[in-house]
Amino acid sequence: MSANIPLVVRLLASSVSVANRAGKIVRDVMSKGELGIVEKGKDDYQTEADRSAQRCIIASLAAQYPTMTIIGEEDNPDNGQEIPSDWIVVEGDSEVLQLSCPHHLKGIQEKDIVVWVDPLDGTSEYTQGFLEHVTVLIGISVNEEPVAGVIHQPYYKSMVDGEKRMGRTIWGLKEAGVGGFTPAPPPDSLIITTTRSHSNPIVEKALQVMDASQILRVGGAGYKVLQLLEGKASVYVFASAGCKKWDTCAPEAILAAAGGKLTDILGNFYKYGSSVTRPNKTGVLAAVNNELYEYALSRIPQELKDALANK
Ligand SMILES: Nc1ncnc2c1ncn2[C@@H]1O[C@H](COP(=O)(O)O)[C@@H](O)[C@H]1OP(=O)(O)O
Ligand SMILES: [Mg+2]
Ligand SMILES: [Mg+2]
Ligand SMILES: [Mg+2]
């Protein structure tokens, strides 16, 4: 890769390529049928696919960007095993390498960047067979702010030049654009997307106040943001702790690159520096444009905000 291409663009191109490889690992683990499920906590699982995909992504990025901070969801996923050489991906996506880098990101160095890796978002859904909900997330933050990201969907089916294709990779770079999918306008009526596996009474209260025509209950932060980008839902509402920085970094960056917004339920942006606490304690609120976002925020009652903030 040319050293003349700004670091952020090279890193996004590398992230697109390695997310594709990680997606193949996710499919391969499922085809073998040995998921190796570990219970990390209540409603919180890890599989061999989460572990292996994270090893592939972190080893590949660390080999190319040795001084950059990379934070993955899974703790000690390698268990002392060596990484297969074909898991190390070092070429970058050629389309992304052509992107023109926003001026203020041109001089960014590895020390200014924190990469947040969710090797498999939607693990509950993966183990239950809702495979379309599963994504691989790589979020790039610069000086605490998400600026670029990748959402790879390993089980997305499409036809390309008359041939069946499995998997697609959506990317975004703030102030430069998005790719890998066809953006669509939001639906005509208010459709909310929310959790299917992590609900509670406050989550339900925040859905009731929206006065929506439909509520979609699907898995994963990545998949819900894809629904916003593709015009299948208007707003993503999750009034609970549960998501962590690796769940929201890539989706927030891509939504912002598409003109949208992702914050907590109080309307505050999360920060993504290496020392932040991992949990997104005050939930998630997101939309593909400002009008829908402001509408949703205006519907959240103060006592609900207080309940989340004081938990
Ligand atoms: N209570 C929780 N415990 C663990 N992870 C959670 C919890 N709530 C949300 N998450 C993470 O946020 C994602 C989006 O949440 P939801 O699907 O409930 O809307 C989940 O797929 C999961 O990521 P992961 O699957 O990567 O562990
Ligand atoms: Mg998890
Ligand atoms: Mg996740
Ligand atoms: Mg995960």
Side-chain angles (χ1 to χ4, degrees):
M1 256 186 256
S2 165
N4 297 329
I5 300 175
L7 173 61
V8 170
V9 171
R10 279 188 285 132
L11 176 58
L12 181 61
S14 306
S15 302
V16 166
S17 299
V18 77
N20 285 323
R21 184 68 190 87
K24 180 165 185 326
I25 293 173
V26 168
R27 289 192 299 267
D28 288 347
V29 169
M30 181 57 79
S31 324
K32 263 178 100 183
E34 288 163 29
L35 295 193
I37 299 173
V38 171
E39 194 170 354
K40 296 195 285 184
K42 187 179 174 288
D43 297 328
D44 192 5
Y45 301 95
Q46 182 201 69
T47 71
E48 186 52 43
D50 300 65
R51 293 186 286 275
S52 295
Q54 177 163 312
R55 291 168 65 209
C56 160
I57 295 166
I58 294 195
S60 297
L61 296 181
Q64 298 168 82
Y65 309 101
T67 63
M68 188 175 71
T69 302
I70 309 171
I71 302 174
E73 173 180 356
E74 312 305 341
D75 289 335
N76 305 319
D78 46 11
N79 212 1
Q81 304 163 72
E82 215 171 287
I83 296 186
S85 58
D86 72 316
W87 287 11
I88 309 291
V89 178
V90 292
E91 83 278 11
D93 180 84
S94 54
E95 186 190 342
V96 172
L97 284 171
Q98 310 289 323
L99 282 176
S100 97
C101 187
H103 188 70
H104 73 280
L105 293 175
K106 279 187 178 153
I108 293 303
Q109 299 170 24
E110 288 187 21
K111 66 173 176 43
D112 308 316
I113 295 180
V114 178
V115 176
W116 293 91
V117 177
D118 187 343
L120 197 165
D121 184 45
T123 301
S124 299
E125 285 69 27
Y126 181 70
T127 62
Q128 293 166 27
F130 296 95
L131 298 178
E132 205 197 338
H133 301 191
V134 169
T135 60
V136 174
L137 305 176
I138 305 177
I140 300 168
S141 69
V142 169
N143 298 329
E144 308 226 308
E145 186 196 321
V147 299
V150 173
I151 302 177
H152 172 76
Q153 207 180 5
Y155 290 97
Y156 181 81
K157 296 190 188 90
S158 59
M159 293 291 281
V160 178
D161 299 330
E163 274 186 39
K164 280 190 193 160
R165 167 106 35 114
M166 190 68 122
R168 66 168 172 173
T169 307
I170 284 85
W171 53 262
L173 172 61
K174 242 170 134 173
E175 292 167 49
V178 293
F181 74 110
T182 311
D188 292 335
S189 62
L190 189 76
I191 302 178
I192 309 275
T193 184
T194 192
T195 184
R196 66 169 284 283
S197 56
H198 298 104
S199 194
N200 65 41
I202 298 181
V203 167
E204 296 304 318
K205 178 76 194 157
L207 299 174
Q208 282 164 22
V209 298
M210 291 294 151
D211 199 17
S213 68
Q214 205 184 339
I215 296 175
L216 308 174
R217 295 176 189 268
V218 301
Y223 186 62
K224 283 188 265 294
V225 166
L226 278 180
Q227 291 189 311
L228 300 179
L229 292 164
E230 297 197 298
K232 308 233 164 71
S234 328
V235 194
Y236 170 7
V237 185
F238 182 54
S240 169
C243 289
K244 317 247 172 19
K245 297 294 172 300
W246 41 76
D247 292 300
T248 49
C249 186
E252 181 179 335
I254 300 173
L255 252 190
K261 196 165 169 181
L262 185 152
T263 67
D264 72 358
I265 287 286
L266 284 64
N268 300 318
F269 286 108
Y270 285 112
K271 288 197 165 135
Y272 293 85
S274 60
S275 58
V276 294
T277 55
R278 294 350 181 202
N280 292 346
K281 199 178 140 238
T282 39
V284 179
L285 185 68
V288 80
N289 66 40
N290 219 41
E291 195 185 331
L292 282 165
Y293 172 86
E294 289 300 332
Y295 167 80
L297 184 61
S298 74
R299 302 291 297 192
I300 306 273
Q302 189 59 43
E303 58 269 26
L304 199 152
K305 294 182 184 169
D306 293 343
L308 265 189
N310 300 327
K311 260 205 165 187

mmCIF file of all heavy atoms in Angstrom, residues 48-86:
data_model
loop_
_atom_site.group_PDB
_atom_site.id
_atom_site.type_symbol
_atom_site.label_atom_id
_atom_site.label_comp_id
_atom_site.label_asym_id
_atom_site.label_seq_id
_atom_site.Cartn_x
_atom_site.Cartn_y
_atom_site.Cartn_z
ATOM 1 N N GLU A 48 -16.794 -19.854 19.563
ATOM 2 C CA GLU A 48 -15.521 -19.993 18.864
ATOM 3 C C GLU A 48 -15.420 -18.965 17.735
ATOM 4 O O GLU A 48 -14.331 -18.473 17.417
ATOM 5 C CB GLU A 48 -15.387 -21.423 18.303
ATOM 6 C CG GLU A 48 -14.040 -21.729 17.667
ATOM 7 C CD GLU A 48 -12.878 -21.388 18.593
ATOM 8 O OE1 GLU A 48 -12.935 -21.693 19.794
ATOM 9 O OE2 GLU A 48 -11.891 -20.793 18.097
ATOM 10 N N ALA A 49 -16.550 -18.603 17.145
ATOM 11 C CA ALA A 49 -16.530 -17.603 16.068
ATOM 12 C C ALA A 49 -16.123 -16.227 16.611
ATOM 13 O O ALA A 49 -15.322 -15.523 15.970
ATOM 14 C CB ALA A 49 -17.890 -17.532 15.397
ATOM 15 N N ASP A 50 -16.643 -15.848 17.782
ATOM 16 C CA ASP A 50 -16.242 -14.558 18.390
ATOM 17 C C ASP A 50 -14.731 -14.569 18.634
ATOM 18 O O ASP A 50 -14.025 -13.593 18.326
ATOM 19 C CB ASP A 50 -16.938 -14.339 19.748
ATOM 20 C CG ASP A 50 -18.455 -14.324 19.678
ATOM 21 O OD1 ASP A 50 -19.040 -15.369 19.340
ATOM 22 O OD2 ASP A 50 -19.057 -13.292 19.953
ATOM 23 N N ARG A 51 -14.239 -15.670 19.212
ATOM 24 C CA ARG A 51 -12.804 -15.741 19.569
ATOM 25 C C ARG A 51 -11.922 -15.723 18.320
ATOM 26 O O ARG A 51 -10.970 -14.946 18.227
ATOM 27 C CB ARG A 51 -12.525 -17.023 20.379
ATOM 28 C CG ARG A 51 -13.180 -17.055 21.747
ATOM 29 C CD ARG A 51 -12.765 -18.273 22.559
ATOM 30 N NE ARG A 51 -13.361 -19.529 22.136
ATOM 31 C CZ ARG A 51 -14.567 -19.981 22.512
ATOM 32 N NH1 ARG A 51 -15.321 -19.258 23.334
ATOM 33 N NH2 ARG A 51 -15.033 -21.150 22.093
ATOM 34 N N SER A 52 -12.246 -16.575 17.349
ATOM 35 C CA SER A 52 -11.378 -16.693 16.174
ATOM 36 C C SER A 52 -11.420 -15.430 15.315
ATOM 37 O O SER A 52 -10.394 -14.972 14.814
ATOM 38 C CB SER A 52 -11.794 -17.903 15.336
ATOM 39 O OG SER A 52 -11.573 -19.081 16.069
ATOM 40 N N ALA A 53 -12.613 -14.869 15.129
ATOM 41 C CA ALA A 53 -12.711 -13.655 14.310
ATOM 42 C C ALA A 53 -11.921 -12.522 14.958
ATOM 43 O O ALA A 53 -11.231 -11.758 14.271
ATOM 44 C CB ALA A 53 -14.176 -13.260 14.137
ATOM 45 N N GLN A 54 -11.966 -12.429 16.289
ATOM 46 C CA GLN A 54 -11.190 -11.362 16.946
ATOM 47 C C GLN A 54 -9.690 -11.564 16.757
ATOM 48 O O GLN A 54 -8.946 -10.609 16.505
ATOM 49 C CB GLN A 54 -11.526 -11.266 18.437
ATOM 50 C CG GLN A 54 -10.658 -10.195 19.112
ATOM 51 C CD GLN A 54 -11.171 -9.750 20.452
ATOM 52 O OE1 GLN A 54 -12.345 -9.448 20.593
ATOM 53 N NE2 GLN A 54 -10.293 -9.705 21.429
ATOM 54 N N ARG A 55 -9.229 -12.833 16.866
ATOM 55 C CA ARG A 55 -7.790 -13.092 16.683
ATOM 56 C C ARG A 55 -7.360 -12.686 15.277
ATOM 57 O O ARG A 55 -6.310 -12.082 15.093
ATOM 58 C CB ARG A 55 -7.500 -14.573 16.918
ATOM 59 C CG ARG A 55 -7.680 -14.980 18.375
ATOM 60 C CD ARG A 55 -7.679 -16.481 18.522
ATOM 61 N NE ARG A 55 -6.395 -17.062 18.168
ATOM 62 C CZ ARG A 55 -6.241 -18.295 17.680
ATOM 63 N NH1 ARG A 55 -7.283 -19.054 17.464
ATOM 64 N NH2 ARG A 55 -5.038 -18.741 17.398
ATOM 65 N N CYS A 56 -8.176 -13.026 14.297
ATOM 66 C CA CYS A 56 -7.865 -12.674 12.903
ATOM 67 C C CYS A 56 -7.764 -11.155 12.738
ATOM 68 O O CYS A 56 -6.796 -10.639 12.168
ATOM 69 C CB CYS A 56 -8.971 -13.257 12.011
ATOM 70 S SG CYS A 56 -9.125 -12.532 10.389
ATOM 71 N N ILE A 57 -8.746 -10.438 13.269
ATOM 72 C CA ILE A 57 -8.792 -8.977 13.055
ATOM 73 C C ILE A 57 -7.633 -8.298 13.789
ATOM 74 O O ILE A 57 -6.901 -7.480 13.215
ATOM 75 C CB ILE A 57 -10.145 -8.396 13.532
ATOM 76 C CG1 ILE A 57 -11.289 -8.947 12.682
ATOM 77 C CG2 ILE A 57 -10.127 -6.866 13.474
ATOM 78 C CD1 ILE A 57 -12.679 -8.710 13.254
ATOM 79 N N ILE A 58 -7.448 -8.646 15.055
ATOM 80 C CA ILE A 58 -6.432 -7.923 15.830
ATOM 81 C C ILE A 58 -5.031 -8.253 15.331
ATOM 82 O O ILE A 58 -4.191 -7.363 15.174
ATOM 83 C CB ILE A 58 -6.621 -8.160 17.345
ATOM 84 C CG1 ILE A 58 -7.958 -7.526 17.739
ATOM 85 C CG2 ILE A 58 -5.440 -7.570 18.144
ATOM 86 C CD1 ILE A 58 -8.218 -7.321 19.196
ATOM 87 N N ALA A 59 -4.776 -9.524 15.012
ATOM 88 C CA ALA A 59 -3.433 -9.871 14.523
ATOM 89 C C ALA A 59 -3.154 -9.171 13.197
ATOM 90 O O ALA A 59 -2.040 -8.673 12.961
ATOM 91 C CB ALA A 59 -3.300 -11.384 14.367
ATOM 92 N N SER A 60 -4.150 -9.106 12.330
ATOM 93 C CA SER A 60 -3.942 -8.482 11.015
ATOM 94 C C SER A 60 -3.686 -6.986 11.148
ATOM 95 O O SER A 60 -2.788 -6.438 10.501
ATOM 96 C CB SER A 60 -5.162 -8.713 10.122
ATOM 97 O OG SER A 60 -5.339 -10.087 9.887
ATOM 98 N N LEU A 61 -4.475 -6.317 11.984
ATOM 99 C CA LEU A 61 -4.282 -4.868 12.130
ATOM 100 C C LEU A 61 -2.999 -4.561 12.892
ATOM 101 O O LEU A 61 -2.253 -3.636 12.533
ATOM 102 C CB LEU A 61 -5.503 -4.224 12.811
ATOM 103 C CG LEU A 61 -6.822 -4.295 12.031
ATOM 104 C CD1 LEU A 61 -7.943 -3.602 12.805
ATOM 105 C CD2 LEU A 61 -6.688 -3.670 10.634
ATOM 106 N N ALA A 62 -2.703 -5.351 13.929
ATOM 107 C CA ALA A 62 -1.496 -5.086 14.730
ATOM 108 C C ALA A 62 -0.234 -5.297 13.893
ATOM 109 O O ALA A 62 0.770 -4.602 14.080
ATOM 110 C CB ALA A 62 -1.470 -5.983 15.968
ATOM 111 N N ALA A 63 -0.287 -6.230 12.936
ATOM 112 C CA ALA A 63 0.889 -6.470 12.091
ATOM 113 C C ALA A 63 1.199 -5.250 11.220
ATOM 114 O O ALA A 63 2.353 -4.974 10.898
ATOM 115 C CB ALA A 63 0.642 -7.689 11.199
ATOM 116 N N GLN A 64 0.165 -4.517 10.858
ATOM 117 C CA GLN A 64 0.368 -3.372 9.952
ATOM 118 C C GLN A 64 0.498 -2.043 10.689
ATOM 119 O O GLN A 64 1.092 -1.100 10.173
ATOM 120 C CB GLN A 64 -0.821 -3.257 9.004
ATOM 121 C CG GLN A 64 -0.999 -4.457 8.112
ATOM 122 C CD GLN A 64 -2.355 -4.402 7.420
ATOM 123 O OE1 GLN A 64 -2.518 -3.735 6.412
ATOM 124 N NE2 GLN A 64 -3.340 -5.073 7.983
ATOM 125 N N TYR A 65 -0.127 -1.963 11.873
ATOM 126 C CA TYR A 65 -0.167 -0.695 12.618
ATOM 127 C C TYR A 65 0.281 -0.982 14.050
ATOM 128 O O TYR A 65 -0.531 -1.003 14.989
ATOM 129 C CB TYR A 65 -1.597 -0.122 12.579
ATOM 130 C CG TYR A 65 -2.158 -0.056 11.174
ATOM 131 C CD1 TYR A 65 -3.051 -1.019 10.707
ATOM 132 C CD2 TYR A 65 -1.757 0.944 10.290
ATOM 133 C CE1 TYR A 65 -3.538 -0.991 9.405
ATOM 134 C CE2 TYR A 65 -2.241 0.991 8.983
ATOM 135 C CZ TYR A 65 -3.131 0.019 8.553
ATOM 136 O OH TYR A 65 -3.605 0.051 7.262
ATOM 137 N N PRO A 66 1.587 -1.236 14.234
ATOM 138 C CA PRO A 66 2.069 -1.831 15.488
ATOM 139 C C PRO A 66 1.929 -0.956 16.734
ATOM 140 O O PRO A 66 1.881 -1.495 17.839
ATOM 141 C CB PRO A 66 3.544 -2.127 15.189
ATOM 142 C CG PRO A 66 3.894 -1.313 13.989
ATOM 143 C CD PRO A 66 2.642 -1.105 13.217
ATOM 144 N N THR A 67 1.838 0.355 16.579
ATOM 145 C CA THR A 67 1.776 1.187 17.788
ATOM 146 C C THR A 67 0.354 1.697 18.078
ATOM 147 O O THR A 67 0.149 2.483 18.997
ATOM 148 C CB THR A 67 2.732 2.395 17.695
ATOM 149 O OG1 THR A 67 2.298 3.231 16.610
ATOM 150 C CG2 THR A 67 4.162 1.953 17.445
ATOM 151 N N MET A 68 -0.592 1.249 17.298
ATOM 152 C CA MET A 68 -1.964 1.734 17.454
ATOM 153 C C MET A 68 -2.701 0.933 18.534
ATOM 154 O O MET A 68 -2.480 -0.270 18.679
ATOM 155 C CB MET A 68 -2.659 1.534 16.101
ATOM 156 C CG MET A 68 -4.017 2.119 15.956
ATOM 157 S SD MET A 68 -4.561 1.877 14.236
ATOM 158 C CE MET A 68 -4.840 0.111 14.244
ATOM 159 N N THR A 69 -3.580 1.576 19.288
ATOM 160 C CA THR A 69 -4.374 0.869 20.297
ATOM 161 C C THR A 69 -5.572 0.202 19.623
ATOM 162 O O THR A 69 -6.346 0.861 18.918
ATOM 163 C CB THR A 69 -4.870 1.860 21.367
ATOM 164 O OG1 THR A 69 -3.731 2.499 21.950
ATOM 165 C CG2 THR A 69 -5.672 1.159 22.448
ATOM 166 N N ILE A 70 -5.688 -1.106 19.853
ATOM 167 C CA ILE A 70 -6.816 -1.864 19.294
ATOM 168 C C ILE A 70 -7.500 -2.560 20.471
ATOM 169 O O ILE A 70 -6.842 -3.279 21.226
ATOM 170 C CB ILE A 70 -6.341 -2.936 18.290
ATOM 171 C CG1 ILE A 70 -5.411 -2.316 17.239
ATOM 172 C CG2 ILE A 70 -7.542 -3.626 17.638
ATOM 173 C CD1 ILE A 70 -4.732 -3.339 16.343
ATOM 174 N N ILE A 71 -8.793 -2.317 20.638
ATOM 175 C CA ILE A 71 -9.509 -2.912 21.769
ATOM 176 C C ILE A 71 -10.609 -3.828 21.225
ATOM 177 O O ILE A 71 -11.485 -3.386 20.478
ATOM 178 C CB ILE A 71 -10.112 -1.826 22.677
ATOM 179 C CG1 ILE A 71 -8.989 -0.893 23.189
ATOM 180 C CG2 ILE A 71 -10.867 -2.464 23.853
ATOM 181 C CD1 ILE A 71 -9.483 0.311 23.977
ATOM 182 N N GLY A 72 -10.539 -5.108 21.601
ATOM 183 C CA GLY A 72 -11.536 -6.073 21.142
ATOM 184 C C GLY A 72 -12.455 -6.477 22.285
ATOM 185 O O GLY A 72 -12.082 -6.382 23.456
ATOM 186 N N GLU A 73 -13.646 -6.939 21.931
ATOM 187 C CA GLU A 73 -14.617 -7.329 22.960
ATOM 188 C C GLU A 73 -14.140 -8.500 23.809
ATOM 189 O O GLU A 73 -14.338 -8.504 25.032
ATOM 190 C CB GLU A 73 -15.958 -7.707 22.301
ATOM 191 C CG GLU A 73 -16.938 -8.273 23.324
ATOM 192 C CD GLU A 73 -18.295 -8.666 22.757
ATOM 193 O OE1 GLU A 73 -18.563 -8.443 21.570
ATOM 194 O OE2 GLU A 73 -19.091 -9.203 23.549
ATOM 195 N N GLU A 74 -13.536 -9.496 23.171
ATOM 196 C CA GLU A 74 -13.252 -10.742 23.893
ATOM 197 C C GLU A 74 -11.900 -10.697 24.605
ATOM 198 O O GLU A 74 -10.910 -10.262 24.032
ATOM 199 C CB GLU A 74 -13.307 -11.931 22.914
ATOM 200 C CG GLU A 74 -14.539 -11.957 22.014
ATOM 201 C CD GLU A 74 -15.871 -11.901 22.778
ATOM 202 O OE1 GLU A 74 -15.901 -12.192 23.986
ATOM 203 O OE2 GLU A 74 -16.887 -11.542 22.155
ATOM 204 N N ASP A 75 -11.885 -11.187 25.851
ATOM 205 C CA ASP A 75 -10.635 -11.260 26.606
ATOM 206 C C ASP A 75 -9.884 -12.532 26.235
ATOM 207 O O ASP A 75 -10.490 -13.597 26.146
ATOM 208 C CB ASP A 75 -10.910 -11.298 28.113
ATOM 209 C CG ASP A 75 -11.399 -9.957 28.613
ATOM 210 O OD1 ASP A 75 -11.087 -8.936 27.975
ATOM 211 O OD2 ASP A 75 -12.129 -9.949 29.629
ATOM 212 N N ASN A 76 -8.580 -12.440 26.093
ATOM 213 C CA ASN A 76 -7.701 -13.595 25.842
ATOM 214 C C ASN A 76 -8.290 -14.640 24.912
ATOM 215 O O ASN A 76 -8.411 -15.803 25.269
ATOM 216 C CB ASN A 76 -7.362 -14.307 27.166
ATOM 217 C CG ASN A 76 -6.771 -13.345 28.149
ATOM 218 O OD1 ASN A 76 -5.956 -12.509 27.774
ATOM 219 N ND2 ASN A 76 -7.190 -13.448 29.400
ATOM 220 N N PRO A 77 -8.655 -14.245 23.689
ATOM 221 C CA PRO A 77 -9.329 -15.229 22.834
ATOM 222 C C PRO A 77 -8.389 -16.284 22.256
ATOM 223 O O PRO A 77 -8.854 -17.283 21.736
ATOM 224 C CB PRO A 77 -9.922 -14.374 21.718
ATOM 225 C CG PRO A 77 -9.037 -13.184 21.641
ATOM 226 C CD PRO A 77 -8.512 -12.950 23.021
ATOM 227 N N ASP A 78 -7.046 -16.104 22.372
ATOM 228 C CA ASP A 78 -6.171 -17.050 21.666
ATOM 229 C C ASP A 78 -5.779 -18.265 22.478
ATOM 230 O O ASP A 78 -5.428 -19.284 21.920
ATOM 231 C CB ASP A 78 -4.935 -16.367 21.077
ATOM 232 C CG ASP A 78 -4.251 -15.428 22.034
ATOM 233 O OD1 ASP A 78 -4.597 -15.437 23.229
ATOM 234 O OD2 ASP A 78 -3.383 -14.678 21.565
ATOM 235 N N ASN A 79 -5.855 -18.155 23.808
ATOM 236 C CA ASN A 79 -5.586 -19.335 24.617
ATOM 237 C C ASN A 79 -4.247 -19.976 24.264
ATOM 238 O O ASN A 79 -4.096 -21.195 24.280
ATOM 239 C CB ASN A 79 -6.722 -20.341 24.356
ATOM 240 C CG ASN A 79 -7.004 -21.158 25.582
ATOM 241 O OD1 ASN A 79 -6.373 -20.950 26.617
ATOM 242 N ND2 ASN A 79 -7.926 -22.099 25.473
ATOM 243 N N GLY A 80 -3.267 -19.154 23.853
ATOM 244 C CA GLY A 80 -1.930 -19.660 23.549
ATOM 245 C C GLY A 80 -1.769 -20.314 22.188
ATOM 246 O O GLY A 80 -0.678 -20.745 21.830
ATOM 247 N N GLN A 81 -2.860 -20.368 21.389
ATOM 248 C CA GLN A 81 -2.725 -21.018 20.072
ATOM 249 C C GLN A 81 -2.096 -20.060 19.069
ATOM 250 O O GLN A 81 -2.275 -18.859 19.160
ATOM 251 C CB GLN A 81 -4.102 -21.382 19.501
ATOM 252 C CG GLN A 81 -4.967 -22.245 20.366
ATOM 253 C CD GLN A 81 -6.419 -22.167 19.886
ATOM 254 O OE1 GLN A 81 -6.757 -22.693 18.853
ATOM 255 N NE2 GLN A 81 -7.250 -21.466 20.640
ATOM 256 N N GLU A 82 -1.424 -20.656 18.066
ATOM 257 C CA GLU A 82 -0.853 -19.824 17.010
ATOM 258 C C GLU A 82 -1.948 -19.472 15.993
ATOM 259 O O GLU A 82 -2.866 -20.260 15.770
ATOM 260 C CB GLU A 82 0.270 -20.582 16.318
ATOM 261 C CG GLU A 82 1.377 -19.639 15.911
ATOM 262 C CD GLU A 82 2.576 -20.416 15.436
ATOM 263 O OE1 GLU A 82 3.280 -21.022 16.282
ATOM 264 O OE2 GLU A 82 2.773 -20.421 14.221
ATOM 265 N N ILE A 83 -1.806 -18.294 15.381
ATOM 266 C CA ILE A 83 -2.818 -17.862 14.416
ATOM 267 C C ILE A 83 -2.492 -18.439 13.037
ATOM 268 O O ILE A 83 -1.364 -18.283 12.563
ATOM 269 C CB ILE A 83 -2.864 -16.323 14.369
ATOM 270 C CG1 ILE A 83 -3.308 -15.820 15.744
ATOM 271 C CG2 ILE A 83 -3.779 -15.827 13.260
ATOM 272 C CD1 ILE A 83 -3.536 -14.362 15.836
ATOM 273 N N PRO A 84 -3.438 -19.125 12.389
ATOM 274 C CA PRO A 84 -3.169 -19.644 11.037
ATOM 275 C C PRO A 84 -2.725 -18.509 10.112
ATOM 276 O O PRO A 84 -3.277 -17.405 10.186
ATOM 277 C CB PRO A 84 -4.529 -20.204 10.594
ATOM 278 C CG PRO A 84 -5.300 -20.415 11.856
ATOM 279 C CD PRO A 84 -4.801 -19.405 12.836
ATOM 280 N N SER A 85 -1.735 -18.780 9.256
ATOM 281 C CA SER A 85 -1.171 -17.684 8.445
ATOM 282 C C SER A 85 -2.216 -17.091 7.500
ATOM 283 O O SER A 85 -2.162 -15.901 7.185
ATOM 284 C CB SER A 85 0.045 -18.167 7.667
ATOM 285 O OG SER A 85 -0.356 -19.245 6.852
ATOM 286 N N ASP A 86 -3.195 -17.887 7.069
ATOM 287 C CA ASP A 86 -4.183 -17.307 6.139
ATOM 288 C C ASP A 86 -5.238 -16.456 6.853
ATOM 289 O O ASP A 86 -6.149 -15.944 6.222
ATOM 290 C CB ASP A 86 -4.840 -18.408 5.290
ATOM 291 C CG ASP A 86 -5.786 -19.261 6.103
ATOM 292 O OD1 ASP A 86 -5.430 -19.653 7.231
ATOM 293 O OD2 ASP A 86 -6.897 -19.548 5.615
#
